[in-house]
Amino acid sequence: MKIYDFNTPLEKGLLTDERMAIAIGVFDGVHLGHREIFCQLDGYARNHPGVRTMVITFATNPKVRDSRPLDTMRLRNRYISSFGIDYVLVIDFSRDFSMMSGREFIRLLCTMCRVEAVIVGEDFRCGSPSDQIAACELSDAFASSGVHAEVLVIPPVEDDSHIRISSTHIRTLVSQGDFATVCELSGQPYEFDLMDNSFIRTTFGFRTQNVTGQRLPSDGRYRASVVLLDGREVESTLLIDRDGLLISPIEDIDLVKADTIRIFSKEN
């Protein structure tokens, strides 16, 4: 899987002749709804020989820019790559990009590659607030650019209680420490990235005076496991407080080789 800044293929003409199926979204803290989109993307390419796959995502969430994300780009790209996706394009949601109209964004996609299909969620929007395009308008927008693209709009995926699975809902669950439900809705345990966050590694854990980056639950003790770079997993207890993260027992863990922490439940 090749990863590019959104502007790089446009400036260098890297994908001009590629027939492409594209999924577009933030995909923060990938969950079962996102999985459905990626599966549809992979399935489309398998049924259309010669078509490559691309996921377009965002370095920061344009919808909740003041909120900590559920993942890092490293973890998100790792998950996306598990679906055999060919390309990931990452949008830096700058001021200039935020002012782009929806139709201008579509024209850029049509310039970048040969768009054959676009797969989005039902709540998809693109473009500045004053000039947006919704999911139901994508076909017309591509036609206006002279491109006949098949548009697949994926309806929301719901849990057993008929609640729509969304990143917003999962952010609330993480804050509440309900990691059993997070795992159910995500299809995987909640992972905190120890490689992409700015921590000082100490003898007993990861300390910092200002925890930024991924969303963490409230202070307390949590049942967890440390995943090492070689794939081994070590059962642990995770203590979260205002200074950072403390892991115990520490004897079996080489923190220099720690990749992520999987958090399972809060201890009483």
Side-chain angles (χ1 to χ4, degrees):
M1 186 176 79
K2 295 183 178 179
I3 303 169
Y4 296 118
D5 173 82
F6 181 80
N7 290 323
T8 299
L10 287 167
E11 295 169 353
K12 298 185 176 182
L14 300 178
L15 305 175
T16 305
D17 296 325
E18 294 280 12
R19 298 166 57 206
M20 199 74 68
I22 305 173
I24 311 171
V26 178
F27 305 122
D28 178 27
V30 283
H31 52 66
L32 297 183
H34 299 149
R35 176 183 290 183
E36 180 63 22
I37 291 175
F38 298 147
C39 286
Q40 290 283 346
L41 182 64
D42 178 63
Y44 184 92
R46 290 178 183 275
N47 291 325
H48 296 79
V51 173
R52 310 297 292 276
T53 53
M54 175 192 294
V55 171
I56 297 178
T57 185
F58 294 80
T60 57
N61 192 334
K63 298 178 182 178
V64 286
R65 300 196 73 183
D66 295 329
S67 178
R68 293 178 185 173
L70 292 166
D71 62 12
T72 62
M73 283 307 308
R74 188 178 79 98
L75 293 184
R76 192 180 309 172
N77 288 335
R78 177 187 292 178
Y79 183 81
I80 292 171
S81 70
S82 70
F83 291 86
I85 303 303
D86 295 307
Y87 303 100
V88 170
L89 268 59
V90 182
I91 294 173
D92 177 13
F93 198 71
S94 62
R95 176 176 173 79
D96 288 343
F97 195 92
S98 70
M99 298 173 66
M100 185 184 301
S101 71
R103 291 188 180 277
E104 185 178 356
F105 177 71
I106 297 303
R107 284 194 293 271
L108 287 179
L109 293 184
C110 295
T111 300
M112 179 188 298
C113 59
R114 296 165 58 189
V115 182
E116 295 210 359
V118 177
I119 303 173
V120 295
E122 197 173 74
D123 60 350
F124 173 83
R125 297 284 189 280
C126 70
S128 64
S130 61
D131 195 359
Q132 283 191 338
I133 290 177
C136 61
E137 301 170 308
L138 280 173
S139 292
D140 289 342
F142 278 103
S144 296
S145 294
V147 173
H148 175 69
E150 184 174 351
V151 176
L152 304 176
V153 180
I154 308 302
V157 175
E158 298 180 344
D159 64 13
D160 293 338
S161 301
H162 305 292
I163 296 174
R164 179 178 176 271
I165 300 174
S166 69
S167 297
T168 300
H169 183 39
I170 292 176
R171 274 190 286 273
T172 300
L173 294 171
V174 170
S175 296
Q176 295 172 344
D178 186 356
F179 290 102
T181 305
V182 169
C183 184
E184 179 183 333
L185 302 186
S186 300
Q188 58 187 357
Y190 186 72
E191 286 196 280
F192 191 81
D193 194 341
L194 297 175
M195 301 294 290
D196 281 15
N197 287 278
S198 299
F199 290 103
I200 300 172
R201 295 176 184 233
T202 71
T203 305
F204 300 104
F206 299 80
R207 310 301 289 180
T208 180
Q209 294 299 315
N210 182 25
V211 176
T212 59
Q214 268 180 279
R215 181 173 293 262
L216 282 169
S218 58
D219 291 358
R221 295 174 64 88
Y222 294 85
R223 187 174 67 84
S225 66
V226 175
V227 182
L228 304 180
L229 291 172
D230 62 8
R232 288 184 296 128
E233 195 165 342
V234 182
E235 290 187 11
S236 311
T237 295
L238 175 65
L239 173 64
I240 299 175
D241 63 22
R242 64 181 181 178
D243 294 323
L245 312 175
L246 246 159
I247 301 168
S248 65
I250 205 66
E251 293 79 10
D252 298 328
I253 304 172
D254 182 352
L255 293 180
V256 175
K257 298 178 181 179
D259 185 46
T260 64
I261 296 178
R262 291 177 175 168
I263 309 175
F264 299 108
S265 61
K266 190 167 186 177
E267 296 184 348
N268 296 326

